[in-house]
Amino acid sequence: VQLVESGGGLVQPGRSLRLSCAASGFTFDDFAMHWVRQAPGKGLEWVSRISWNSGSVDYADSVKGRFTISRDNAKNSLYLQMNSLRPEDTALYYCAKDLEGVAGTGGDYYYYYAMDVWGHGTTVSVSS
Amino acid sequence: SSELTQDPAVSVALGQTVRITCQGDSLRTYYASWYQQRPGQAPLLVIYGRNNRPSGIPDRFSGSSSGSTASLTITGAQAEDEADYYCNSRDSSGNIYVFGTGTKVTVL
C-alpha cells in the first residue's frame, strides 16, 4: 500500500500549481482521500477530502474557493489544483487514504473516521 | 469551525506511562484519531475510533474518550515513542476535519 505525491515546487504568489498523488496496493476507488499540509515547523492542517466517486468534496476555510480536489479512479490518482497561491500556503502537502466505518458489538455500535495511509509529501513554496 | 487543543509538550521517563489529552466540542460527537509523527517522517495512525489500533501498532498505545476530551495513553514508553502526536476528528458540522495543535513527547 503506497501513496506518492508529486508536483510541488517554488511558485510566485498569485500563481497556480497542481499536485498529484499516485496510489497503489489497494482498491483506490473504494476509498475517500484527503490532502493534509504542514507548514515549516508547524502542525498538521487538514486541507480537503473527496469521496470515492467524487460526489462529495469538502475544504478547509483557508483554501475554499482557491483549491480544487479531484480524482481519476481509472488512473488511481488524486489531485489538488491550487490557484491564487499565497505565501501562507507554503507547506509540505501529504495525501492520505480515508479510513471510516462502523465498529462495535451487541448493538453498541459507533462510527470511526481516520487517515490510515500517508504519502511522504511534496513541498510547495510560495514566494516572490 | 471547531478547534482541538493539546498540551504543547509532555515528558515521560523511560518505561513509565504518559497521557496526552485533546479537548474540543467536536469530541462530544466524534471519536478522535491519533497520529504519531517522528522528525522528518510522515504521520502514522496509532489509534482510531473508540480504542482501535492499526496492524503493527504496539499495544502500549491506547485511547479513551470522555465528554469533550480524548486521551492517548502510552503505557511503558519507549525511546522510539519520542515524537509529535496529533489528534484529529471531524468538525461538529461533520463536513470537515480538524487536527489538534500537537503534543511533543520527550522520553527521558
Side-chain angles (χ1 to χ4, degrees):
Chain A
V1 179
Q2 190 175 17
L3 297 171
V4 179
E5 302 91 338
S6 61
L10 174 63
V11 62
Q12 293 179 326
R15 304 298 291 265
S16 299
L17 206 59
R18 188 196 197 205
L19 306 183
S20 300
C21 171
S24 60
F26 65 98
T27 305
F28 183 69
D29 55 11
D30 275 352
F31 298 94
M33 296 292 294
H34 300 261
W35 286 101
V36 176
R37 69 184 181 182
Q38 187 169 35
K42 302 297 184 182
L44 300 174
E45 180 187 12
W46 177 82
V47 173
S48 183
R49 174 189 182 273
I50 186 168
S51 62
W52 66 275
N53 63 352
S54 304
S56 174
V57 295
D58 294 291
Y59 300 94
D61 288 343
S62 58
V63 306
K64 195 176 297 183
R66 299 187 300 121
F67 289 12
T68 302
I69 191 171
S70 62
R71 64 189 296 163
D72 185 338
N73 288 343
K75 295 182 178 180
N76 288 346
S77 293
L78 174 72
Y79 306 102
L80 186 67
Q81 177 67 42
M82 304 185 295
N83 298 333
S84 303
L85 282 161
R86 305 166 179 169
E88 55 265 35
D89 295 319
T90 294
L92 181 61
Y93 284 73
Y94 296 102
C95 66
K97 173 181 163 290
D98 185 72
L99 173 68
E100 62 180 81
V102 179
T105 59
D108 182 20
Y109 297 103
Y110 63 93
Y111 290 95
Y112 58 84
Y113 305 92
M115 300 163 210
D116 67 337
V117 181
W118 294 66
H120 286 96
T122 186
T123 299
V124 173
S125 296
V126 184
S127 174
S128 54
Chain B
S1 61
S2 297
E3 295 182 347
L4 296 178
T5 302
Q6 300 179 235
D7 290 332
V10 296
S11 61
V12 57
L14 185 67
Q16 295 303 301
T17 297
V18 62
R19 173 176 289 183
I20 305 161
T21 60
C22 172
Q23 293 187 304
D25 287 341
S26 63
L27 300 178
R28 296 184 182 277
T29 307
Y30 299 103
Y31 285 102
S33 53
W34 289 92
Y35 303 84
Q36 176 193 71
Q37 187 178 36
R38 294 176 177 138
Q41 295 188 16
L44 174 70
L45 176 66
V46 294
I47 290 289
Y48 65 97
R50 197 167 280 174
N51 181 21
N52 301 95
R53 282 177 290 105
S55 174
I57 301 301
D59 61 5
R60 64 179 178 270
F61 290 91
S62 63
S64 62
S65 183
S66 177
S68 63
T69 301
S71 300
L72 173 70
T73 300
I74 309 174
T75 303
Q78 301 301 301
E80 60 264 33
D81 300 334
E82 187 162 288
D84 293 325
Y85 290 83
Y86 296 91
C87 58
N88 176 267
S89 85
R90 295 187 80 152
D91 178 81
S92 297
S93 71
N95 293 329
I96 67 173
Y97 291 69
V98 61
F99 280 95
T101 50
T103 298
K104 181 176 182 60
V105 172
T106 300
V107 179
L108 303 173

